[in-house]
Amino acid sequence: MGYCHADFYRKPAFCDLLHRPALLRRHPPDREFFRAQAARYGFDEKKYLAALDKVPIVSRDHIHNAMTDLLSLVKMITEMGLENLRLVQEIQQRDKLEQEASCLRFLVKNTRDSI
């Protein structure tokens, strides 16, 4: 997963094909910094600051709680996947044993010699 230490992501980032939207961690953002940044990179200042106003401001605690929740969800999905894998393996083993037992029953039933 990515990192959240930057104060502002100027554009959405993609990490491992997951969309991580822009967010702010300062309340309120330093508008002079972004005004200077718009001038430095040749952006339209009004549009740039309007876009800045649309970026959600999220606290460090909120990010931490969201990451904790996502981690719990990933653990739950992983455990479910492992349990399903175990069940599939058990079913395959049972089917194999049933097939072997069926072959043995056929042999016993159709053998003319006494066993």
Side-chain angles (χ1 to χ4, degrees), residues 65-114:
N65 292 338
M67 296 291 282
T68 300
D69 290 346
L70 289 173
L71 181 60
S72 296
L73 180 62
V74 167
K75 285 180 180 179
M76 183 179 68
I77 291 170
T78 302
E79 289 169 1
M80 288 170 55
L82 287 173
E83 184 60 30
N84 284 340
L85 180 61
R86 286 186 200 110
L87 289 172
V88 166
Q89 290 171 339
E90 185 179 316
I91 290 169
Q92 289 172 342
Q93 180 68 20
R94 193 176 306 151
D95 289 347
K96 182 180 175 185
L97 291 173
E98 181 59 39
Q99 187 177 18
E100 290 175 4
S102 177
C103 288
L104 289 173
R105 281 193 296 274
F106 175 80
L107 289 174
V108 168
K109 182 178 180 180
N110 296 307
T111 301
R112 294 184 179 187
D113 296 333
S114 60

Side-chain angles (χ1 to χ4, degrees), residues 24-87:
L24 287 172
R25 281 206 353 233
R26 283 192 182 155
H27 192 82
D30 181 3
R31 293 185 69 77
E32 288 306 314
F33 170 81
F34 292 105
R35 186 172 280 118
Q37 196 174 43
R40 183 176 350 141
Y41 294 113
F43 299 136
D44 180 286
E45 183 180 312
K46 286 184 180 181
K47 289 181 182 179
Y48 193 70
L49 293 177
L52 174 65
D53 292 336
K54 294 178 183 178
V55 176
I57 298 172
V58 181
S59 71
R60 181 178 291 271
D61 289 339
H62 182 80
I63 293 171
H64 177 74
N65 292 338
M67 296 291 282
T68 300
D69 290 346
L70 289 173
L71 181 60
S72 296
L73 180 62
V74 167
K75 285 180 180 179
M76 183 179 68
I77 291 170
T78 302
E79 289 169 1
M80 288 170 55
L82 287 173
E83 184 60 30
N84 284 340
L85 180 61
R86 286 186 200 110
L87 289 172

